Amino acid sequence: MTIRISEFLDKNSISLDLKATTKKEVIEELVDLLVQANKIPTSSKEEVKRALMEREELGTTGIGKGVAIPHARTRTIPRIVAAFGRSRNGVDFEAVDGNPVNLFFLIVSPEDAAGHHTNALARISRLLRDEFFRKALMNATSPEEVMEIIKGEEE
C-alpha cells in the first residue's frame, strides 16, 4: 500500500511564510502550527520539539536542493502528522549541499510506527527530488494550492 502525504498533511498545517531564521525556530514554528491545527496535543509540544532537535543532532535532515525533512518519532502522539513550511529567504539548516533551505516537510510519528514513518519519509523525499514539484511548491499562493500540488503528484 502506497502511503499518501495527503492522508497526514492538511491545509491547516501549512505555512507559506515562515518567519524563522534558524533551524530551531523552523522546528518550533512548524510544531506550533501542528498544535494550532489540533494535530498534536499542547501537552506534547515540548516533547515533540525535543525529539525533532535530538534527531537533528544525529545528522541534518536538510537533504539539499533547498529541501529539509525534519522528522522524529515520539510516544506522545497517536498517529503520524505532518506540517509544511516555506521560507522565501531560506534558512541555514546545515543541508548536505550547504545551501539554504526553502521547503520544509516536518513529520512526527508514534514511536511504534517505524515502518509507516520510513515510508512517509521515502515518499516525500521521492516527490521532492522532482524539480518541477519543488518549483510548484515555491510558487504556490495558498495552503489549498499546496494540497492540490501534492494530490496531483499522488495520482
Side-chain angles (χ1 to χ4, degrees), residues 40-97:
I40 57 173
T42 306
S43 58
S44 298
K45 184 166 112 169
E46 292 311 316
E47 164 64 23
V48 169
K49 285 179 186 176
R50 190 183 57 71
L52 287 158
M53 289 308 292
E54 282 176 4
R55 169 59 192 83
E56 286 300 323
E57 286 167 21
L58 298 175
T60 184
T61 57
I63 61 173
K65 296 188 170 140
V67 174
I69 311 174
H71 60 276
R73 295 196 329 248
T74 173
R75 58 185 168 64
T76 63
I77 65 160
R79 69 189 162 279
I80 189 168
V81 294
F84 171 77
R86 180 180 70 197
S87 167
R88 282 275 176 220
N89 298 327
V91 176
D92 177 4
F93 214 78
E94 298 160 17
V96 292
D97 62 3

Side-chain angles (χ1 to χ4, degrees), residues 17-21 86-92 100-102 138:
D17 188 24
L18 290 177
K19 306 289 183 257
T21 58
R86 180 180 70 197
S87 167
R88 282 275 176 220
N89 298 327
V91 176
D92 177 4
V101 174
N102 302 96
M138 278 305 292

Side-chain angles (χ1 to χ4, degrees), residues 6-21:
S6 54
E7 290 169 11
F8 55 87
L9 173 71
D10 73 41
K11 65 181 173 59
N12 298 319
S13 305
I14 295 173
S15 170
L16 296 180
D17 188 24
L18 290 177
K19 306 289 183 257
T21 58

